[in-house]
Amino acid sequence: MLDAEQLNCLYRYCFSLTGEKHESYDLLQSGIEKYIKADISSVDNKLAYIKKIIRNHYLDECRKNSKIKMEQYDETVTHVDMNTNSLENIVATQYQVEAVWKKLTVAEREIMYFWAVEGYTTDELAKFLDVPRGTLLSRIHRLRKRLEQQFDESNRDVAP
């Protein structure tokens, strides 16, 4: 049904949502179980379908358990600076990345996962997350600013 590479891809996605190893395995198992039970005759891309199942299951569980605070985004689109050189050119240590990763919200980790790990374009990501492209660009802009600030703070803490 799924090969090792596909399972690893799904696990990484689960980990980007939960941020915890054991919860990621549980989420992956639940997602695959739901996929197996579902009517999949009309599904073209099974990985995208399973990711959607995993995402919905995770959000449902979080809401049910009040595990995460669901954030309201300002959906108004403002001018977005598309200068992509700053964040992409930051060199970071594993320690810095782990420290910053823990400070991100679930929504921010999900965007980072699809953008940095899976290489989704903004159009693909907007479609997957079911949000307008302008809204996604605003979220990415705020995320970039936040990450730049956190990496700057992290570099000051490490500097001699």
Side-chain angles (χ1 to χ4, degrees):
M1 181 176 134
L2 295 171
D3 62 27
E5 183 178 329
Q6 292 170 322
L7 286 172
N8 284 331
C9 175
L10 291 171
Y11 171 77
R12 288 189 307 266
Y13 177 57
C14 291
F15 189 80
S16 77
L17 292 174
T18 65
E20 207 281 321
K21 182 179 176 179
H22 297 294
E23 284 185 45
S24 299
Y25 284 122
D26 291 343
L27 183 59
L28 177 60
Q29 180 179 350
S30 299
I32 291 175
E33 284 176 3
K34 287 185 178 193
Y35 172 74
I36 291 170
K37 291 177 185 176
D39 175 25
I40 56 171
S41 58
S42 63
V43 174
D44 293 330
N45 185 342
K46 65 182 172 186
L47 278 182
Y49 186 75
I50 295 172
K51 285 178 184 175
K52 189 71 99 168
I53 290 172
I54 288 170
R55 181 176 192 265
N56 291 338
H57 178 73
Y58 179 72
L59 293 176
D60 288 345
E61 286 296 311
C62 288
R63 286 183 192 117
K64 183 174 85 175
N65 298 330
S66 299
K67 183 175 180 179
I68 60 172
K69 180 181 139 193
M70 301 309 289
E71 298 178 4
Q72 294 295 323
Y73 284 101
D74 176 17
E75 299 297 333
T76 59
V77 179
T78 59
H79 173 70
V80 178
D81 178 18
M82 291 307 294
N83 178 6
T84 59
N85 293 330
S86 57
L87 181 60
E88 287 81 355
N89 291 331
I90 292 175
V91 177
T93 65
Q94 181 177 352
Y95 169 77
Q96 291 170 318
V97 171
E98 288 175 358
V100 170
W101 186 261
K102 290 177 184 177
K103 295 178 183 178
L104 297 177
T105 66
V106 172
E108 292 168 335
R109 287 194 312 255
E110 185 175 38
I111 289 171
M112 286 295 297
Y113 168 78
F114 281 117
W115 174 65
V117 177
E118 294 296 322
Y120 278 40
T121 65
T122 52
D123 289 333
E124 293 169 332
L125 187 51
K127 184 178 178 183
F128 180 80
L129 297 176
D130 197 26
V131 297
R133 185 174 185 273
T135 300
L136 180 63
L137 288 174
S138 294
R139 290 179 186 177
I140 290 171
H141 176 73
R142 287 190 296 267
L143 177 59
R144 278 189 174 133
K145 291 296 182 193
R146 184 169 170 206
L147 289 174
E148 287 171 359
Q149 177 186 10
Q150 289 180 357
F151 274 110
D152 284 346
E153 290 173 5
S154 178
N155 285 334
R156 274 183 266 152
D157 293 342
V158 178

